[in-house]
């Protein structure tokens, strides 16, 4: 077999492999971005909802419920297995930050730990999100 044919076959195989790996990496990155956006949208809506609860504003509450429902659906589609369980526990407890700050912090810690390589303690996240809780 001529050397030029071997080179050509090597280039074709390399291009095919590069395409396959690039496509796979792009799909993984896109899924990660969708998951992260769903987590952020849910956390943002829950935080806004806790502020609306304090203000007793019915018109804003309806909009926020729609945002929360949308984010919940996306978390169920794109969320990691590790994040779904604490998410369900928080929802079952009423999905209220002020009444369940520890559950909220646990959920955020797991969502964060799934999205990044750096681990964070739930207690530290709870302190950052809801401040110091006095019993």
């Amino acid at each position: 077999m001529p050397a030029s044919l071997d080179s050509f076959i090597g280039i074709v195989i390399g291009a095919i492999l590069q395409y396959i790996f690039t496509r796979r990496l792009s799909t993984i990155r896109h899924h990660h971005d969708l998951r992260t956006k769903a987590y952020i949208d849910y956390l943002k809506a829950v935080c806004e909802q806790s502020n609306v609860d304090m203000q007793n504003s019915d018109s804003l509450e309806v909009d926020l419920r729609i945002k929360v429902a949308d984010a919940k659906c996306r978390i169920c589609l794109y969320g990691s297995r590790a994040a779904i369980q604490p998410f369900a526990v928080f929802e079952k407890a009423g999905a209220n930050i002020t009444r369940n700050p520890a559950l909220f912090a646990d959920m955020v810690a797991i969502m964060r730990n799934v999205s990044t390589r750096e681990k964070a303690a739930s207690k530290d996240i709870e302190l950052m999100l809801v401040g110091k809780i006095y019993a």
Side-chain angles (χ1 to χ4, degrees), residues 25-26 36 42 69 82 84 92 95 100 107 110 113 133:
L25 183 61
S26 176
T36 301
Y42 176 77
I84 298 273
K92 191 174 184 178
N100 302 303
M107 181 183 67
I110 290 176
N113 293 343
I133 305 295

Side-chain angles (χ1 to χ4, degrees), residues 28-123:
I28 290 169
R29 192 173 289 144
H30 180 66
H31 186 268
H32 181 268
D33 291 344
L34 290 172
R35 176 178 52 215
T36 301
K37 183 162 176 24
Y39 290 165
I40 290 169
D41 289 347
Y42 176 77
L43 297 175
K44 203 163 116 178
V46 168
C47 290
E48 288 177 23
Q49 200 170 33
S50 70
N51 290 329
V52 168
D53 288 345
M54 292 177 193
Q55 298 171 4
N56 290 329
S57 176
D58 290 336
S59 62
L60 287 175
E61 190 173 338
V62 171
D63 290 337
L64 288 173
R65 285 181 192 223
I66 292 169
K67 286 181 183 179
V68 169
D70 174 60
K72 282 182 193 180
C73 290
R74 288 183 288 131
I75 288 172
C76 289
L77 285 173
Y78 305 119
S80 70
R81 184 182 311 163
I84 298 273
Q85 197 271 335
F87 172 77
V89 170
F90 180 68
E91 283 291 321
K92 191 174 184 178
N96 187 300
I97 297 170
T98 55
R99 281 184 264 155
N100 302 303
L103 293 177
F104 184 69
D106 289 343
M107 181 183 67
V108 172
I110 290 176
M111 287 178 176
R112 182 189 186 286
N113 293 343
V114 166
S115 297
T116 66
R117 299 251 186 256
E118 299 173 4
K119 303 293 183 201
S122 292
K123 290 294 180 190

Side-chain angles (χ1 to χ4, degrees), residues 9-20:
I9 291 172
I11 290 171
V12 169
I13 290 172
I16 291 170
L17 289 174
Q18 182 178 4
Y19 172 78
I20 291 170

